[in-house]
Coordinates of all heavy atoms in Angstrom, one line a residue:
Chain M
K57 N 14.0 89.0 -74.4 CA 14.8 88.3 -73.4 C 15.1 89.2 -72.2 O 15.5 90.4 -72.5 CB 16.1 87.7 -74.0 CG 15.8 86.7 -75.0 CD 17.1 86.0 -75.4 CE 18.1 86.8 -76.2 NZ 19.3 86.1 -76.7
S58 N 15.0 88.7 -71.0 CA 15.4 89.5 -69.9 C 16.9 89.6 -69.7 O 17.6 88.7 -70.2 CB 14.8 88.8 -68.6 OG 15.4 89.3 -67.4
R59 N 17.3 90.6 -69.0 CA 18.7 90.7 -68.7 C 19.2 89.6 -67.8 O 20.4 89.3 -67.6 CB 19.0 92.1 -68.1 CG 19.0 93.2 -69.0 CD 19.1 94.6 -68.3 NE 18.0 94.8 -67.5 CZ 17.8 95.8 -66.6 NH1 18.8 96.7 -66.5 NH2 16.8 96.0 -65.9
L60 N 18.2 89.0 -67.1 CA 18.5 87.8 -66.2 C 19.0 86.6 -67.1 O 19.6 85.8 -66.5 CB 17.2 87.4 -65.5 CG 16.7 88.3 -64.4 CD1 15.3 87.7 -63.9 CD2 17.6 88.5 -63.3
L61 N 18.7 86.6 -68.3 CA 19.0 85.5 -69.2 C 20.4 85.6 -69.7 O 20.7 86.3 -70.7 CB 18.0 85.4 -70.3 CG 17.7 84.0 -70.9 CD1 16.9 83.2 -69.9 CD2 16.9 84.2 -72.2
S62 N 21.4 85.0 -68.9 CA 22.8 85.1 -69.3 C 23.0 84.3 -70.6 O 22.1 83.5 -71.0 CB 23.7 84.6 -68.2 OG 23.6 83.2 -68.2
D63 N 24.2 84.4 -71.1 CA 24.5 83.6 -72.4 C 24.6 82.1 -72.1 O 24.7 81.4 -73.1 CB 25.8 84.2 -73.0 CG 27.0 84.1 -72.1 OD1 26.8 83.6 -71.0 OD2 28.0 84.6 -72.4
R64 N 24.5 81.7 -70.9 CA 24.4 80.2 -70.6 C 23.0 79.7 -70.9 O 22.8 78.5 -70.9 CB 24.9 79.9 -69.2 CG 26.3 80.3 -68.9 CD 26.7 79.9 -67.5 NE 25.9 80.5 -66.5 CZ 24.9 80.0 -65.8 NH1 24.6 78.7 -66.0 NH2 24.3 80.6 -64.8
F65 N 22.1 80.6 -71.0 CA 20.7 80.2 -71.2 C 20.3 80.3 -72.6 O 20.6 81.4 -73.2 CB 19.7 81.0 -70.3 CG 19.8 80.8 -68.8 CD1 20.9 81.1 -68.1 CD2 18.7 80.2 -68.2 CE1 20.9 80.9 -66.7 CE2 18.7 80.0 -66.8 CZ 19.8 80.3 -66.1
S66 N 19.6 79.4 -73.2 CA 19.1 79.5 -74.5 C 17.7 78.8 -74.6 O 17.4 77.8 -73.9 CB 20.0 78.9 -75.6 OG 20.1 77.5 -75.3
A67 N 16.8 79.4 -75.3 CA 15.4 78.9 -75.5 C 15.1 78.9 -76.9 O 15.5 79.7 -77.7 CB 14.4 79.8 -74.7
E68 N 14.3 77.9 -77.2 CA 13.8 77.7 -78.6 C 12.3 77.3 -78.6 O 11.8 76.7 -77.7 CB 14.6 76.6 -79.3 CG 16.1 76.9 -79.5 CD 16.7 75.8 -80.3 OE1 16.2 74.6 -80.3 OE2 17.8 76.0 -80.9
R69 N 11.7 77.6 -79.7 CA 10.3 77.2 -80.0 C 10.2 76.9 -81.5 O 9.6 77.7 -82.2 CB 9.3 78.2 -79.5 CG 7.9 77.7 -79.4 CD 6.9 78.7 -79.0 NE 5.6 78.1 -78.9 CZ 4.5 78.9 -78.9 NH1 4.5 80.2 -79.0 NH2 3.3 78.3 -78.7
P70 N 10.9 75.8 -81.9 CA 11.2 75.7 -83.4 C 9.9 75.6 -84.3 O 10.0 76.1 -85.4 CB 11.9 74.4 -83.4 CG 11.6 73.7 -82.1 CD 11.4 74.7 -81.1
K71 N 8.8 75.1 -83.8 CA 7.7 75.0 -84.7 C 6.5 75.8 -84.2 O 5.4 75.6 -84.6 CB 7.3 73.5 -84.9 CG 8.4 72.7 -85.6 CD 7.9 71.3 -85.8 CE 9.0 70.5 -86.5 NZ 8.7 69.0 -86.7
G72 N 6.8 76.6 -83.3 CA 5.7 77.4 -82.7 C 4.8 76.6 -81.8 O 3.7 77.1 -81.4
S73 N 5.2 75.4 -81.4 CA 4.4 74.7 -80.4 C 5.1 74.5 -79.1 O 5.1 75.4 -78.3 CB 4.0 73.3 -81.0 OG 5.2 72.6 -81.4
F74 N 5.8 73.4 -78.9 CA 6.6 73.2 -77.6 C 7.8 74.1 -77.6 O 8.3 74.6 -78.7 CB 6.9 71.8 -77.4 CG 8.0 71.3 -78.3 CD1 9.4 71.3 -77.9 CD2 7.7 70.7 -79.5 CE1 10.4 70.9 -78.7 CE2 8.7 70.3 -80.4 CZ 10.1 70.3 -80.0
S75 N 8.3 74.3 -76.4 CA 9.6 75.1 -76.3 C 10.5 74.4 -75.4 O 10.1 73.5 -74.5 CB 9.2 76.5 -75.7 OG 10.4 77.2 -75.4
T76 N 11.8 74.6 -75.6 CA 12.9 74.1 -74.7 C 13.7 75.2 -74.1 O 13.9 76.3 -74.8 CB 13.8 73.1 -75.4 OG1 14.4 73.8 -76.5 CG2 13.0 71.9 -75.9
L77 N 14.1 75.0 -72.9 CA 15.0 76.0 -72.2 C 16.2 75.2 -71.8 O 16.1 74.2 -71.1 CB 14.3 76.6 -71.0 CG 15.2 77.5 -70.1 CD1 15.5 78.8 -70.9 CD2 14.5 77.9 -68.8

Side-chain angles (χ1 to χ4, degrees):
Chain M
K57 294 192 289 186
S58 164
R59 287 172 294 174
L60 292 175
L61 210 66
S62 77
D63 56 7
R64 296 184 298 105
F65 288 69
S66 62
E68 294 182 338
R69 194 182 183 197
K71 297 182 181 179
S73 55
F74 72 92
S75 176
T76 58
L77 178 68

